[in-house]
């Protein structure tokens, strides 16, 4: 495949990319044909509801029809050019990077029916952090791709893989404040963004701490931007995976919480019925992030102690335990089963590693059982592991099904 040339086949797009290394982390730079860019971002540029990034920032950024019309006219000109990058965010479940060939493959994700994840269809693969109007300029009045200029018009793109919403917001705010594309009254100053507490930001900081602490069971396992951190051999989790799993413990609506805090309102503590659904809610409201950190630390230490070999064989092919599917199943087990039973009416308490370990004693999986023969890749393996953890599926029935 020629440099910067793409092929699309079976709802997959293969893109020749260059990896760019910057202080924030790694991302990919590429040249894309506008029709293929429209294909993977159509649902994002033609959305009806607010997107996550706008909910997080507390702004509205509707498509400006006048600006789109101007861009359509501009595209027809002989000297038309868009030299600056369109910036995209792609979920890690929809991307695979081949380091040797420098090819980034994008594809839809189909979640298992029994998982609590959402599928990601082809036209929702890319979220547009900057450049929505440029992409919309290639659509006609019926929202069909249209470019009748008789010459090539490729678009420069920067692709971030596996970044959580707080990272997306920082990139969005940096770009738009610097280039004054968005009214500055709509975007909060980055310094203020860094000061305001929010559920996503708290989870982001806890994920960073778990990754940085040499004693942590998740030490150096979390990629910041969905791509490998320089100097590390293997990182099975992305920051987005950790943040999105943890935020479910803190808030029924993290974007609404953030808006309330930005407006100077205090969040009200909740009663025990509410805590049974969001067990770390009052810890977050009290600013007790350290307790949340210790609960996760102790829980995953218990996991590591139960299966030390599988936990530390990060590069063993097919080993489910260190990867995101097992992490999601374990976090669901912690939230719905383990923590509430240990805490009782004292939700907010910090159970010890030994207390957590009691919940793993009767789970009859050996380290070597974590393989693709027993646990299929994707949400199916995640669902099977969760059923084993909760006792919905016995070890005997599980292995009988695999035979």
């Amino acid at each position: 495949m020629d440099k910067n040339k793409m092929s699309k086949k079976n709802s997959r797009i293969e893109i020749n990319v260059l990896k760019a290394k910057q202080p924030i982390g790694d991302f990919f730079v590429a040249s894309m044909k506008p029709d293929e860019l429209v294909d993977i971002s159509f649902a994002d540029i033609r959305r009806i509801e607010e997107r996550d990034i706008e909910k997080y920032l507390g702004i509205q950024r509707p498509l400006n029809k006048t600006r789109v019309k101007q861009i359509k006219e501009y595209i027809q000109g002989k000297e038309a050019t868009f030299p600056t990058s369109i910036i995209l965010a792609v979920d890690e479940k929809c991307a695979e990077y081949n380091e040797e060939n420098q090819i980034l493959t994008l594809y839809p994700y189909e979640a298992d029916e029994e998982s609590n994840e959402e599928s990601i269809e082809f036209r929702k693969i890319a979220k547009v952090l900057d450049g929505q109007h440029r992409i919309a300029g290639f659509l006609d009045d019926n929202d069909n791709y249209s470019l009748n200029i008789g010459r090539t018009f490729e678009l420069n793109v920067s692709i971030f893989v596996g970044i959580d919403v707080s990272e997306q917001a920082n990139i969005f705010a940096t770009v738009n404040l610097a280039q004054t594309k968005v009214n500055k009254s709509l975007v909060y100053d980055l310094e203020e963004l860094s000061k305001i507490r929010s559920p996503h930001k708290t989870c982001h900081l806890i994920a960073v701490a778990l990754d940085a602490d040499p004693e942590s069971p998740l030490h150096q396992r979390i990629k910041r931007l969905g791509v490998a951190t320089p100097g590390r051999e293997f990182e099975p989790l992305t920051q987005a995976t950790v943040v999105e799993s943890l935020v479910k413990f803190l808030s029924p609506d993290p974007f609404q919480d953030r808006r309330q805090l930005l407006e100077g309102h205090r969040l009200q503590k909740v009663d025990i019925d509410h805590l049974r659904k969001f067990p770390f809610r009052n810890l977050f409201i009290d600013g007790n992030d350290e307790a949340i950190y210790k609960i996760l630390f102790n829980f995953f230490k218990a996991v590591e102690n139960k299966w030390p070999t599988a936990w530390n064989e990060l590069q063993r092919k097919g080993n489910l335990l260190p990867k995101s599917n097992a992490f999601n199943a374990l976090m669901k087990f912690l939230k719905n089963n383990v923590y509430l039973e240990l805490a009782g009416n004292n939700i907010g308490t910090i159970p010890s590693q030994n207390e957590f370990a009691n919940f793993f004693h009767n789970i009859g999986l050996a380290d070597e059982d974590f393989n693709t023969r027993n646990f299929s890749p994707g949400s199916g393996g995640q669902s099977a592991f969760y059923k084993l953890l909760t006792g919905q599926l016995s070890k005997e029935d599980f292995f009988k099904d695999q035979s």
Side-chain angles (χ1 to χ4, degrees):
M1 191 182 301
D2 295 336
K3 191 71 173 176
N4 289 343
K5 184 178 180 182
M6 295 190 318
S7 68
K8 175 183 170 185
K9 48 190 176 182
N10 300 324
S11 295
R12 297 169 69 91
I13 289 184
E14 295 179 352
I15 313 170
N16 288 98
V17 296
L18 295 174
K19 184 191 288 187
K21 297 180 179 292
Q22 294 186 2
I24 193 174
D26 295 355
F27 61 95
F28 302 101
V29 178
S31 173
M32 292 184 68
K33 295 177 182 177
D35 60 323
E36 290 167 318
L37 186 52
V38 165
D39 283 346
I40 62 172
S41 65
F42 179 84
D44 197 56
I45 61 175
R46 284 299 190 187
R47 69 204 180 283
I48 296 174
E49 299 177 351
E50 285 182 305
R51 303 176 305 167
D52 285 353
I53 187 172
E54 286 145 358
K55 292 178 182 177
Y56 183 89
L57 283 167
I59 68 170
Q60 291 183 338
R61 195 169 60 127
L63 210 60
N64 185 316
K65 293 182 179 179
T66 300
R67 188 173 173 194
V68 172
K69 182 180 179 181
Q70 291 171 343
I71 290 174
K72 286 180 179 180
E73 294 172 354
Y74 173 74
I75 289 170
Q76 302 300 318
K78 293 181 179 180
E79 297 182 351
T81 179
F82 295 139
T84 57
S85 284
I86 290 169
I87 303 177
L88 307 177
V90 174
D91 192 293
E92 61 164 332
K93 296 188 288 291
C94 296
E96 181 179 338
Y97 176 56
N98 185 312
E99 186 89 40
E100 182 178 353
N101 297 327
Q102 293 185 300
I103 291 177
L104 181 68
T105 304
L106 304 181
Y107 43 81
Y109 172 75
E110 186 172 350
D112 187 271
E113 291 182 0
E114 296 180 354
S115 76
N116 59 353
E117 295 183 308
E118 293 183 1
S119 295
I120 302 172
E121 58 185 288
F122 188 76
R123 66 185 195 137
K124 293 183 178 180
I125 288 174
K127 295 181 180 179
V128 184
L129 304 189
D130 187 63
Q132 60 170 350
H133 289 90
R134 278 171 281 170
I135 299 173
F138 290 92
L139 298 174
D140 63 22
D141 293 337
N142 295 316
D143 287 345
N144 297 313
Y145 170 76
S146 175
L147 179 62
N148 299 312
I149 60 175
R151 56 188 182 277
T152 301
F153 198 135
E154 294 183 344
L155 298 170
N156 177 22
V157 298
S158 296
I159 305 171
F160 290 83
V161 176
I163 58 175
D164 63 47
V165 69
S166 63
E167 290 282 10
Q168 292 178 34
N170 279 336
I171 294 168
F172 169 85
T174 300
V175 169
N176 286 291
L177 281 172
Q179 300 181 11
T180 64
K181 291 182 180 179
V182 174
N183 187 321
K184 290 191 179 183
S185 67
L186 297 178
V187 184
Y188 298 98
D189 182 87
L190 281 176
E191 185 178 354
E192 290 305 311
L193 277 174
S194 69
K195 292 178 182 177
I196 296 296
R197 278 180 60 76
S198 73
H200 278 115
K201 185 168 181 60
T202 291
C203 295
H204 171 96
L205 294 174
I206 290 171
V208 170
L210 285 166
D211 180 73
D213 183 354
E215 301 299 319
S216 164
L218 297 175
H219 178 53
Q220 293 192 348
R221 290 173 179 243
I222 304 172
K223 309 172 210 174
R224 184 170 181 192
L225 289 177
V227 291
T229 304
R232 298 186 184 180
E233 292 186 6
F234 190 70
E235 298 162 299
L237 302 173
T238 65
Q239 190 168 271
T241 295
V242 178
V243 168
E244 293 307 317
S245 291
L246 179 55
V247 79
K248 296 172 184 175
F249 288 69
L250 276 65
S251 175
D253 190 342
F255 302 108
Q256 175 62 23
D257 284 345
R258 191 174 189 280
R259 280 196 290 269
Q260 291 284 317
L261 292 166
L262 279 168
E263 292 168 2
H265 303 300
R266 290 180 60 86
L267 300 179
Q268 299 300 310
K269 285 191 176 184
V270 297
D271 61 24
I272 193 163
D273 290 335
H274 197 99
L275 285 174
R276 289 193 176 101
K277 297 178 182 177
F278 307 98
F280 298 165
R281 178 70 173 168
N282 285 347
L283 292 175
F284 165 70
I285 291 172
D286 285 338
N288 195 354
D289 300 350
E290 184 178 359
I292 300 173
Y293 174 88
K294 287 181 178 178
I295 293 168
L296 294 178
F297 185 104
N298 288 345
F299 176 72
F300 282 101
K301 269 294 184 183
V303 175
E304 179 182 19
N305 292 336
K306 170 66 176 178
W307 297 292
T309 302
W311 184 258
N312 290 297
E313 288 182 334
L314 300 183
Q315 298 193 58
R316 174 162 66 84
K317 189 174 181 180
N319 181 13
L320 172 86
L321 190 60
K323 297 179 181 176
S324 59
N325 291 326
F327 179 85
N328 287 331
L330 287 163
M331 288 291 279
K332 186 177 179 182
F333 183 47
L334 173 63
K335 180 177 184 288
N336 295 346
N337 307 91
V338 177
Y339 184 73
L340 292 179
E341 185 170 335
L342 283 175
N345 291 328
N346 191 21
I347 297 177
T349 190
I350 304 173
S352 67
Q353 294 176 34
N354 287 335
E355 287 176 306
F356 281 128
N358 291 330
F359 284 82
F360 296 101
H361 286 331
N362 296 323
I363 300 173
L365 285 175
D367 289 83
E368 59 269 20
D369 291 331
F370 291 98
N371 55 58
T372 52
R373 185 173 67 85
N374 294 328
F375 298 99
S376 61
S379 56
Q382 175 180 321
S383 176
F385 186 40
Y386 179 71
K387 288 178 179 178
L388 281 165
L389 291 171
T390 57
Q392 298 177 53
L393 184 64
S394 68
K395 177 185 175 182
E396 292 72 24
D397 288 340
F398 174 71
F399 283 110
K400 183 169 62 178
D401 290 343
Q402 310 311 311
S403 61

